[in-house]
Amino acid sequence: QLRRAIEECKRVILALPEHSERQKDAVVRLIHLRLKLQELKDPAEDEPNIRVVLEHRFYKEKSKSVKQMCDKCSTIIWGLIQTWYTCTGCYYRCHSKCLPLVSRPCVRAQVSHQAEYQLSICPESGLDSQDYRLPAPCQPCATTGGVPSEARQCDYTGLYYCSSCHWNDLAVVPARAIHNWDFEPRKVSRCSMRYLALMVSRPVLKLREINPLLFNYVEELVEIR
């Protein structure tokens, strides 16, 4: 029935005026039908509620009305007709079909084992400083060798990432705050964004040791001390 509906929808799209609202609606319907057919080929009922991958603890989501982006394939998760999982540690989200392809370890484990910030302000270095290679989290994303089509620099690590691992998320960078009292959000990679979010409430910065002169210029810090 779904296959017949897909074929009928294709015929309707071709018959409708090009770029019309009715044709756009028919295209959306075709996408939904194809996603539903794909979901039926890989039924979700047999999938476990808990999956552990690279220290991620994934729980199968029950919400059907929320649209999220998959952290692995960077496409929309259609909760109504697709099965998806969320890591309870770092909130990494992905399709059920993407779970076996996850290559980025859970940053919650990094926070637990080594809770500290990088306190060097992002160097203005080029991709040549990485020998034109992507960092470890991006290696599975690269299908071919050589220079990536779009390399985005993370202001926290200073490294360049592919567009699948760097979505231009914004975060306050601790090094800039401590050394320059600069709280302007900067573009960071996905793993850096999640690490900074998990670290934000941890009292790990000894400000009087790192930058004692800051107390001479920021009145609020003097009051807090």
Side-chain angles (χ1 to χ4, degrees):
Q1 288 176 339
L2 275 173
R3 289 194 181 96
R4 285 198 297 272
I6 287 170
E7 292 305 317
E8 178 61 27
C9 201
K10 286 180 183 177
R11 285 194 291 272
V12 169
I13 290 169
L14 293 173
L16 288 169
E18 195 170 354
H19 304 305
S20 66
E21 288 300 318
R22 289 181 61 197
Q23 190 187 54
K24 290 177 184 177
D25 292 341
V27 169
V28 172
R29 176 168 170 74
L30 178 61
I31 292 170
H32 282 222
L33 288 169
R34 282 178 168 168
L35 286 171
K36 183 62 178 176
L37 181 62
Q38 183 62 40
E39 190 70 15
L40 288 177
K41 289 179 181 178
D42 184 21
E45 297 304 320
D46 298 331
E47 298 191 47
N49 289 323
I50 303 174
R51 301 278 291 275
V52 179
V53 181
L54 294 178
E55 298 191 76
H56 292 282
R57 190 170 179 83
F58 288 107
Y59 276 78
K60 186 162 69 173
E61 291 286 356
K62 293 181 171 59
S63 174
K64 298 296 183 183
S65 59
V66 180
K67 275 199 305 185
Q68 302 283 357
M69 294 293 290
C70 175
D71 279 291
K72 181 58 192 173
C73 67
S74 305
T75 59
I76 292 177
I77 299 172
W78 296 92
L80 189 63
I81 54 178
Q82 290 180 308
T83 307
W84 57 293
Y85 285 80
T86 300
C87 173
T88 56
C90 67
Y91 305 106
Y92 185 104
R93 299 181 183 90
C94 68
H95 297 100
S96 171
K97 63 182 180 181
C98 293
L99 269 181
L101 306 175
V102 171
S103 56
R104 191 185 308 158
C106 180
V107 294
R108 169 71 73 177
Q110 184 183 353
V111 170
S112 301
H113 302 155
Q114 188 180 10
E116 60 183 18
Y117 288 115
Q118 294 187 38
L119 295 179
S120 297
I121 292 178
C122 174
E124 295 296 329
S125 57
L127 195 57
D128 56 343
S129 63
Q130 296 175 210
D131 295 326
Y132 297 98
R133 295 178 183 274
L134 295 170
C138 297
Q139 289 299 332
C141 307
T143 54
T144 58
V147 184
S149 58
E150 183 183 4
R152 298 175 179 175
Q153 188 178 34
C154 171
D155 200 86
Y156 176 64
T157 64
L159 298 175
Y160 288 84
Y161 296 81
C162 67
S163 56
S164 295
C165 296
H166 193 320
W167 296 4
N168 290 326
D169 294 299
L170 297 175
V172 174
V173 177
R176 292 186 183 275
I178 289 171
H179 297 298
N180 295 342
W181 205 240
D182 177 4
F183 292 88
E184 182 71 23
R186 311 280 173 155
K187 293 178 181 179
V188 296
S189 67
R190 295 293 288 172
C191 54
S192 295
M193 184 268 293
R194 288 204 164 91
Y195 183 78
L196 292 171
L198 290 172
M199 284 285 288
V200 71
S201 60
R202 287 177 173 257
V204 299
L205 293 172
K206 298 180 180 179
L207 197 55
R208 280 185 289 185
E209 295 179 13
I210 300 168
N211 189 7
L213 291 176
L214 202 57
F215 289 91
N216 297 335
Y217 299 98
V218 182
E219 184 178 345
E220 292 86 352
L221 285 179
V222 178
E223 293 179 10
I224 291 168
R225 183 176 59 180

